[in-house]
Amino acid sequence: MHFPTLSPGERPNDNHPPYKSTTLRGPRAERVIVRHDFAATSGVAVERSILSANDIDLTKHGASEPLGQAITVSGRVVDEDGKPVRDSLVEVWQCNAAGRYAHAKDDHDAPLDPNFFGFGKFLTDSDGRYRFKTIKPGAYPWGNHPNAWRPAHIHFSLFGNVYAQRLVTQMYFPDDPLFPFDPIFNGISDGAARNRLISRFSLDETVSGTSLGFVFDIVLRGRNATPSGV
Amino acid sequence: MSNVTSSQTIGPFFHEALKWGNAVGNGEIELQGRIVDGAGNPIDDAMIEVWANDVAGVAGFGLLRQPSDREGRFVFRLPKPNAGQPLAHVCVFARGCFNHHFTAVFTSGSDHPLLNATPAARRDTLIASANGASSFVWTIRMQGESETVFFEYQ
Ligand SMILES: [Fe+2]
């Protein structure tokens, strides 16, 4: 398996002044380019015992239903050849419908929801597919610049099948009016790459009387994986 | 142009969601780490993953991870590496980092392809210093004169 070089437009610049925290945290030196077996072969074989029944239903973590618009998020995880990334671990986290994280450091003055915590995890199936239920997260303010608000998003952490496929990203929702103002979303300078982080609404995935469906497909780095995957 | 899904920052609010997978390890080597920004200030909201063969992480594969603490510190207990091999392959995430950063940590005297690929003047950034018989100290510097080397795997 090998990992073609990303174009500058699809990898956010480590130093992107509009996102202020990059100023002291983004490395300045070029990455050292290297080919090494560990990155391409260290297997990420996850024990299913880490999964609990409700890890794929974030609306079931409290005593009753959380407030907010119930949604499902589903999609397919593939590599750069379009081959499914099977049996791979995905973690998700998000704020509640009011834009507040169940996290000690979140001081946004919006209500916590005693029935929503916003943590999930699951494995992709043998075709790379996943699906989880949650509520649509709210937008929230942050201190980056005056009147700064993050567009609604869900954080994703993906392990792929080998070390070099690791990815942490954020999924957005269609037509968010905050997109033009968000320096994190716009840190990806290529418009097509940026738009790939926006999920699409799907009536097919919408469950009548229950939840709206959003689809978010993910392409992890890597070509020429061995047929067996892991 | 590929069709790869781009990276976004891990942000500051991952701790509760990811803590199910936090693990220090139970090896005989203690790695005492610290992560600092370009001004030398501790990064108190990073997440550090170490990947090593022979460690049993909570997810069933060779992964240990820890969030950094208020002083930017993290600790792992790692198995003794085979001669020349790294103590661990490392992946660094933090608010203010759009991308994750791959690096690795070695003990002095290692001879390894990752070190050999690194310009000689920067190799020291990948070497943990001994602090007693089975303890090593290592600082990840995101910027500055001794910026840690980060890898791009091909
Ligand atoms: Fe967030």
Side-chain angles (χ1 to χ4, degrees):
Chain A
M1 196 171 203
H2 68 101
F3 305 93
T5 305
L6 291 172
S7 75
E10 62 191 344
R11 170 150 59 197
N13 192 333
D14 293 314
N15 295 278
H16 181 65
Y19 177 18
K20 294 213 170 74
S21 307
T22 65
T23 308
L24 285 172
R25 293 183 169 198
R28 301 281 171 87
E30 293 293 321
R31 292 169 176 81
V32 171
I33 296 171
V34 61
R35 183 178 279 240
H36 184 52
D37 284 350
F38 183 88
T41 61
S42 57
V44 182
V46 178
E47 283 175 3
R48 283 175 191 275
S49 60
I50 64 167
L51 303 176
S52 316
N54 285 338
D55 283 350
I56 56 165
D57 190 346
L58 284 63
T59 70
K60 292 261 186 326
H61 295 182
S64 61
E65 293 282 312
L67 292 170
Q69 172 69 63
I71 64 172
T72 61
V73 180
S74 58
R76 193 161 175 248
V77 184
V78 299
D79 66 17
E80 289 180 75
D81 292 325
K83 290 188 184 139
V85 178
R86 304 184 170 103
D87 302 323
S88 82
L89 177 60
V90 182
E91 300 166 291
V92 292
W93 68 101
Q94 63 169 91
C95 61
N96 67 23
R100 176 87 183 263
Y101 283 89
H103 188 289
K105 276 191 178 171
D106 188 354
D107 56 5
H108 176 30
D109 187 20
L112 286 165
D113 183 340
N115 293 309
F116 191 77
F117 305 100
F119 326 135
K121 62 180 184 298
F122 43 84
L123 299 185
T124 58
D125 71 12
S126 61
D127 196 34
R129 295 187 190 279
Y130 71 90
R131 189 170 196 271
F132 65 97
K133 187 176 178 189
T134 184
I135 53 97
K136 189 165 186 282
Y140 60 84
W142 61 312
N144 190 71
H145 57 274
N147 210 7
W149 293 78
R150 294 298 326 283
H153 59 274
I154 297 177
H155 296 265
F156 275 66
S157 154
L158 297 110
F159 285 82
N161 291 144
V162 299
Y163 177 62
Q165 287 188 307
R166 191 81 174 91
L167 176 69
V168 167
T169 190
Q170 301 180 25
M171 182 205 96
Y172 299 91
F173 291 87
D175 304 318
D176 196 312
L178 293 167
F179 286 148
F181 312 107
D182 181 42
I184 294 181
F185 179 67
N186 290 293
I188 303 161
S189 62
D190 180 78
R194 201 160 59 231
N195 288 338
R196 287 199 292 272
L197 295 188
I198 305 173
S199 59
R200 64 181 168 82
F201 172 70
S202 167
L203 199 58
D204 289 339
E205 290 294 331
T206 293
V207 180
S208 180
T210 302
S211 56
L212 298 180
F214 290 88
V215 173
F216 181 50
D217 294 321
I218 295 164
V219 180
L220 298 182
R221 297 184 70 183
R223 289 196 189 279
N224 300 325
T226 51
S228 56
V230 175
Chain B
M1 180 64 59
S2 71
N3 56 350
V4 166
T5 302
S6 296
S7 180
Q8 294 273 267
T9 182
I10 196 168
F13 299 131
F14 61 85
H15 298 78
E16 294 297 322
L18 305 189
K19 72 179 180 187
W20 70 271
N22 289 353
V24 172
N26 58 7
E28 59 187 293
I29 305 278
E30 182 174 75
L31 177 66
Q32 301 171 344
R34 189 157 182 266
I35 180 167
V36 299
D37 70 14
N41 296 318
I43 294 181
D44 64 1
D45 54 5
M47 187 179 69
I48 313 296
E49 290 182 352
V50 308
W51 294 57
N53 298 321
D54 310 325
V55 307
V58 293
F61 60 101
L63 169 77
L64 304 172
R65 71 180 178 194
Q66 283 290 301
S68 60
D69 72 10
R70 287 167 62 168
E71 280 82 46
R73 295 183 193 283
F74 56 89
V75 172
F76 291 102
R77 296 198 178 80
L78 302 167
K80 198 170 176 169
N82 293 327
Q85 293 299 306
L87 281 169
H89 298 267
V90 176
C91 191
V92 177
F93 303 82
R95 175 179 63 82
C97 292
F98 269 115
N99 302 288
H100 57 271
H101 297 291
F102 290 126
T103 182
V105 57
F106 295 84
T107 57
S108 69
S110 299
D111 178 24
H112 188 274
L114 289 180
L115 288 174
N116 296 336
T118 298
R122 301 186 65 204
R123 278 180 205 154
D124 278 357
T125 68
L126 304 179
I127 309 291
S129 46
N131 177 31
S134 58
S135 174
F136 292 85
V137 177
W138 182 50
T139 301
I140 300 171
R141 293 185 174 84
M142 298 310 294
Q143 286 179 1
E145 215 168 294
S146 302
E147 179 181 311
T148 299
V149 166
F150 299 108
F151 294 110
E152 167 86 53
Y153 290 109
Q154 281 192 328

